[in-house]
Amino acid sequence: MPAADMPLIVDLAGRDDELRAPLDDLRLGRWSAARDLLRRTGPDWELRTSRSLVLSVGAGSLGAIKDWLSEEPFSADALMMWARVLTREALRAMDEGRDRDLVFQVGALARDACFGAVGRWPEDPVPWVDLLRLAKLPVGRGGLRSLDPYFIQRLQLWGQSIEKNRWDAAPEKALFPGPWPLLHEADRRHPGSREAYHRMREYAELRAPWLAVDFTRWASGGAPEDSASALHMLPLHAFVTEYQRRHGSGEIGALSFWASDQVRHYVRRARFGWFESTPPPQRPRLSLLDLELPGVHPRRLRRARGRRGVQRDWPVRHQRAVGDLQRESAPRLALRVPAHAGLRRTAKGPSPMNARSPPTRSRAPRLVSSPTSPMRIISAQQ
């Protein structure tokens, strides 16, 4: 049969052979293989994040994960997967244009499931990634801070400086207000988390496409050039979205968009700072979505080549700070971190959020369930 006539076989597991059987079992309502897979994955945060996302997408209905949680109600993996599938359902309800009250209810259930997963395994970054996804939902009077299980502790830490230290303050004045504490918590557990930064990019795109471009430049600029960090790919995803917005219908100037010095700079940065810096044995774990972008894979490099050299100083990094905490040295960026960083532990590895903060408690704050807790904010409005 000619290659052009062969049907395309789509497999969510991609090149992860260990993921294929658990994914098939979930579709049949069996969850034991998924439990064993996540147990073997352990604290490999990159693999845990990607595998749990694929399992939540491929699980179909909630039945298998619900049965797993009913059998093992104290399992950190079951609680995390329950938060994953509920977050998926909440976003699906919003995308389908369902009733606003229904979206609020499903979003509140997903948020509480994320809080439960955070309380069960505080070191796990995946629930914080899902909270970032929920930031795209319409919020009530509680605002985005209702998604923060540590909001009460932050209020106690800030004290009378709450007016100056806003919850949604960005790490730099040039960036937009948003769910930065959620990104901060995910990043300090898994520095440079690919999905966490992509969720923040999606949140920025809902506000304005140019905000997403600025955010991805900032995130990519905070990662060392030869760190093999997936953050180098962020600007290319933002450029794809911007290109579709400007030239999706084939307007004049579409080709010049990809020939600009700005785009070529970030293509080269991604090519050599991410793909070439990744050891060959680890390249099968790279995201297929990233590899498909123009100029990253060696076979696609020719499209990104131009006559001019790489502008290594593009763009100029913003160094002004927000917040009232004292400045401390950082490996790459000398930033004054926002007030919500007072609850974080110093992260390890390349990440734009990896600015050190003053010494704080070494253990994660205990979740507070009180009448004023963020757990109650949305529920009280329903």
Side-chain angles (χ1 to χ4, degrees), residues 14 81 186 284:
M81 285 302 304

Side-chain angles (χ1 to χ4, degrees), residues 32 95 101 124 137 175 182 193 215 254 283-284 301 340 359 382:
S32 59
D95 294 338
D101 292 338
D124 187 3
L137 297 177
L175 298 173
L182 306 182
S193 169
F215 166 72
R283 288 180 184 174
L301 179 60
H340 53 68
Q382 299 171 355

Side-chain angles (χ1 to χ4, degrees), residues 275-286:
F275 183 81
E276 289 292 343
S277 299
T278 302
Q282 298 181 12
R283 288 180 184 174
R285 296 180 57 169
L286 298 179

Side-chain angles (χ1 to χ4, degrees), residues 260-318:
S260 65
D261 292 341
Q262 176 185 192
V263 173
R264 289 207 306 268
H265 166 77
Y266 285 105
V267 167
R268 286 178 171 83
R269 185 178 177 90
R271 168 76 166 88
F272 296 104
W274 174 68
F275 183 81
E276 289 292 343
S277 299
T278 302
Q282 298 181 12
R283 288 180 184 174
R285 296 180 57 169
L286 298 179
S287 169
L288 293 176
L289 295 176
D290 290 344
L291 290 171
E292 282 299 312
L293 291 180
V296 178
H297 194 274
R299 295 180 181 178
R300 299 173 181 265
L301 179 60
R302 185 173 302 176
R303 301 179 184 178
R305 288 180 176 172
R307 296 181 180 178
R308 299 182 182 179
V310 178
Q311 300 178 8
R312 297 188 180 276
D313 294 332
W314 177 283
V316 177
R317 295 178 184 174
H318 302 285

